[in-house]
Amino acid sequence: MMDTGKLQTLQDCLDEYMIRTGRHEIDEIEANLALAHAGLLNDEDQHPGRPLREILIRLRDSNHLPQNIKQMYGLWKIKLSRTIAKYPLILQF
């Protein structure tokens, strides 16, 4: 599983990239490219976005995926996390 501090570092880098480019949502290929330019996560030439996809799949399977990241129809969409309202998860039985 991924360290919480490293996940927050990746999230902050993606937020800064989206603010700088004026975007509110990006896909995993563009996100992995931005992380590779920042030197945080290497990208593959043959399969662009694969390293980030593998991290997101592990987070999804362990139920630790941040709420600003969604998988829809096989595509990952990453939204600007600063626009997402933070709220505690309340379990009702």
Side-chain angles (χ1 to χ4, degrees), residues 6 10-13 20 24-26 33 36-37 42-43 46 51 53 57-59 66-67 79-80 82-84:
K6 185 172 181 182
L10 296 178
Q11 189 81 29
D12 291 342
C13 179
R20 189 175 62 244
H24 296 285
E25 182 178 273
I26 57 175
L33 184 63
H37 284 301
N42 293 330
D43 201 3
Q46 295 292 327
R53 272 194 301 273
I57 289 169
R58 282 195 305 259
L59 289 171
Q67 68 187 56
K79 293 184 179 184
L80 185 62
R82 296 178 187 170
T83 61
I84 303 295

Side-chain angles (χ1 to χ4, degrees), residues 23-70:
R23 310 271 311 269
H24 296 285
E25 182 178 273
I26 57 175
D27 63 357
E28 76 274 9
I29 295 173
E30 186 176 357
N32 205 149
L33 184 63
L35 293 171
H37 284 301
L40 295 174
L41 185 66
N42 293 330
D43 201 3
E44 294 182 5
D45 292 331
Q46 295 292 327
H47 305 283
R50 178 187 251 172
L52 183 60
R53 272 194 301 273
E54 290 174 353
I55 291 171
L56 296 176
I57 289 169
R58 282 195 305 259
L59 289 171
R60 180 198 62 198
D61 292 346
S62 65
N63 203 23
H64 288 94
L65 193 65
Q67 68 187 56
N68 67 314
I69 302 174
K70 303 283 185 211

Side-chain angles (χ1 to χ4, degrees), residues 71-89:
Q71 184 181 24
M72 295 172 47
Y73 307 112
L75 300 173
W76 290 94
K77 296 293 181 184
I78 303 168
K79 293 184 179 184
L80 185 62
S81 70
R82 296 178 187 170
T83 61
I84 303 295
K86 307 283 187 214
Y87 60 90
L89 180 64

